[in-house]
Amino acid sequence: MTNPRQLAFIALRDVHKGAYADVALDRVLQKVNLADNDRRLLTELVYGSVRRQRTLDTLIDQLAKKKSHQQPQDLRTILHLGFYQLRYQERIPASAAVNTTVQLAKENGFSGLTGFVNGLLRQYLRKAGGAGGDEGAGGAGGDEGAGGAGGAGEEKTPSSPSSPSSLHTDPLQLPENPVERLGILHSFPDWIIQVWLEQLGLADTEQLCEWMNQSPTIDLRINPLRTSIEEVEAALQSVGILVKRIPDLPQALRFIGNSGSIQKLPGFKEGWWTVQDSSAQLVSHLLDPQPGEVVIDACAAPGGKTTHIAELMADKGKIWACDRTSSRLRKLQENSQRLNLQSIQIYIGDSRHFNQFQNTADRVLLDAPCSGLGTMHRHADARWRQTPESVRELSVLQKELITHTSTFVKPGGVLVYATCTLHPAENEEVISAFLAESPDWQIEFPSGFELPASAYSTPQGWFKVWPHRQDMDGFFMVRLRKTNNSE
């Protein structure tokens, strides 16, 4: 079977049974051999339908007699696919979106409801003045890198206005309340909108929502022990792949346009580079490890930052890479072998229970498990999986981790705490609580730090990357120094 819409339906059915969107999509992709454009369409439909789920459900609620949650689950999924194409895919003609959705209903047990499906989608078009619309979703060709397919690097379309641009009038009716309005329009749970509004205000929150709904880019980190940035640029250019440099990050390149399969690109097998978002690259620069030091990466898997630390240390010294998940540590092992790094030692277990590292490390990186709210453009379903309760549980874990892993640091040493979330309960509150209980620790703004301080730093001394301002994943990071007189 090579029909991308039917394959999208199969993947989405798995997602609604609890599978992660990327896992469900990969499962489908592995069983078929699709042309690149069909692969991109399939990826866009799956991730887009998951990401825009709240908006699509609201359209069903407003246009159908039965609410979305009262519809049979498979029919709801089919309607999501139809509405997603009409609203967000302006490269797909409205007639094709309607006809293929009716066909999906017919082929998946709803032949008696094809008139309902057809009528509902056409009602949307009538209210919209007859045109489908786009909201910066990247068009039918916008792949998000599933299984290494690389349309993820597509140049992003400009941020959209509050309603899809091609609609004469928007059929979606929005409430006055700003939290609900943004939540329905941009498809986020109200609680996430609330967290952002409290930190950013209305205009910035809207920009952040729009940024999070774009297809993600793919960034590389070149391995300076094996190659140079110029050599990687030339090698990629020789096969027609365009990249651009990222200011202030000496090892970073970003794909422009479709990269194809990552593993087949020049330099991958040779260990010249690895995939790592720019924000994540900032973290290891903040740690600033030096050759010959002992460094502990307390939550290391899958190892992007661990291998970066090894590169920055010129692969001289010892890095203990700790994680409790052995399967994810295998990925780290594969990557460090491919990058030809020798200084990394793997240690399986929970860093909260290690006592053998007390006062042994010059530097510790605690890249803490978190809600991932800074990377929701990459993880389409993260916004629906996290809850205020799961954030509270994570903040307890984060406090336990920093309290214990701080004991690994020698007097005078450094600990960097980092997360890829934008929730104060997992960031500022964790650090403030730790410092209140730990008089021998203080925030350090490193002297001679090469990163553009004004872009990321805050008056309190920690660093915060806001995606809509810096065009990279949302991150929080802070560098702490243990005073010499601490026991």
Side-chain angles (χ1 to χ4, degrees), residues 73 171 189 227 254 281 367 376 381 392 430 460:
Q73 182 57 66
T227 186
R254 176 167 292 175
Q281 295 183 42
D367 180 29
M376 285 186 289
D381 43 4
R392 273 196 290 278
V430 170
Q460 298 90 338

Side-chain angles (χ1 to χ4, degrees), residues 145-158:
E154 226 173 274
E155 276 293 79
K156 295 170 181 172
T157 48

Side-chain angles (χ1 to χ4, degrees), residues 35-50:
D36 277 356
N37 58 343
D38 283 343
R39 186 186 177 99
R40 283 197 290 273
L41 175 59
L42 164 61
T43 305
E44 178 67 38
L45 292 177
V46 171
Y47 284 151
S49 297
V50 171

Side-chain angles (χ1 to χ4, degrees), residues 88-105:
Y88 301 112
Q89 296 292 291
E90 64 181 9
R91 297 184 209 173
I92 296 177
S95 57
V98 173
N99 295 340
T100 54
T101 308
V102 169
Q103 193 62 30
L104 274 184

Side-chain angles (χ1 to χ4, degrees), residues 174-197:
L174 295 169
E176 287 294 311
N177 176 301
V179 174
E180 282 181 62
R181 185 179 70 78
L182 289 177
I184 289 169
L185 179 60
H186 298 293
S187 193
F188 288 92
D190 287 350
W191 70 271
I192 290 178
I193 300 288
Q194 190 69 52
V195 167
W196 290 345
L197 280 173

Side-chain angles (χ1 to χ4, degrees), residues 48-270:
S49 297
V50 171
R51 189 186 282 134
R52 300 285 187 173
Q53 186 176 297
R54 184 176 181 186
T55 315
L56 302 172
D57 275 340
T58 305
L59 283 171
I60 297 169
D61 291 349
Q62 291 177 0
L63 296 173
K65 289 195 177 88
K66 278 187 182 171
K67 302 285 187 204
S68 57
H69 68 272
Q70 297 170 314
Q71 304 285 351
Q73 182 57 66
D74 284 358
L75 183 63
R76 177 178 164 232
T77 300
I78 289 166
L79 291 172
H80 282 179
L81 283 164
F83 280 128
Y84 182 73
Q85 291 171 80
L86 288 180
R87 188 171 179 83
Y88 301 112
Q89 296 292 291
E90 64 181 9
R91 297 184 209 173
I92 296 177
S95 57
V98 173
N99 295 340
T100 54
T101 308
V102 169
Q103 193 62 30
L104 274 184
K106 196 180 290 181
E107 288 169 7
N108 291 285
F110 298 103
S111 50
L113 291 172
T114 52
F116 162 72
V117 172
N118 184 50
L120 203 63
L121 297 180
R122 292 197 182 281
Q123 188 187 343
Y124 175 87
L125 285 170
R126 270 198 309 282
K127 285 179 179 282
D134 172 57
E135 194 182 349
D143 184 348
E144 290 188 13
E154 226 173 274
E155 276 293 79
K156 295 170 181 172
T157 48
S159 289
S160 63
S162 354
S163 63
S165 54
S166 304
L167 302 181
H168 303 311
T169 55
D170 190 353
L172 183 70
Q173 294 162 27
L174 295 169
E176 287 294 311
N177 176 301
V179 174
E180 282 181 62
R181 185 179 70 78
L182 289 177
I184 289 169
L185 179 60
H186 298 293
S187 193
F188 288 92
D190 287 350
W191 70 271
I192 290 178
I193 300 288
Q194 190 69 52
V195 167
W196 290 345
L197 280 173
E198 284 165 11
Q199 296 176 83
L200 290 169
L202 192 62
D204 260 6
T205 297
E206 179 123 37
Q207 287 173 23
L208 180 56
C209 288
E210 287 173 356
W211 193 94
M212 284 290 181
N213 282 331
Q214 298 177 117
S215 295
T217 53
I218 296 179
D219 296 344
L220 304 183
R221 187 191 78 232
I222 68 112
N223 178 1
L225 308 181
R226 312 278 289 169
T227 186
S228 67
I229 199 159
E230 293 81 8
E231 194 172 2
V232 174
E233 283 173 323
L236 292 170
Q237 205 169 357
S238 72
V239 294
I241 303 290
L242 296 178
V243 287
K244 63 181 178 187
R245 295 193 192 191
I246 295 169
D248 309 302
L249 282 170
Q251 292 168 257
L253 289 171
R254 176 167 292 175
F255 286 121
I256 304 167
N258 193 342
S259 63
S261 173
I262 293 291
Q263 290 85 351
K264 292 177 183 165
L265 292 176
F268 178 83
K269 287 190 180 69
E270 296 81 357

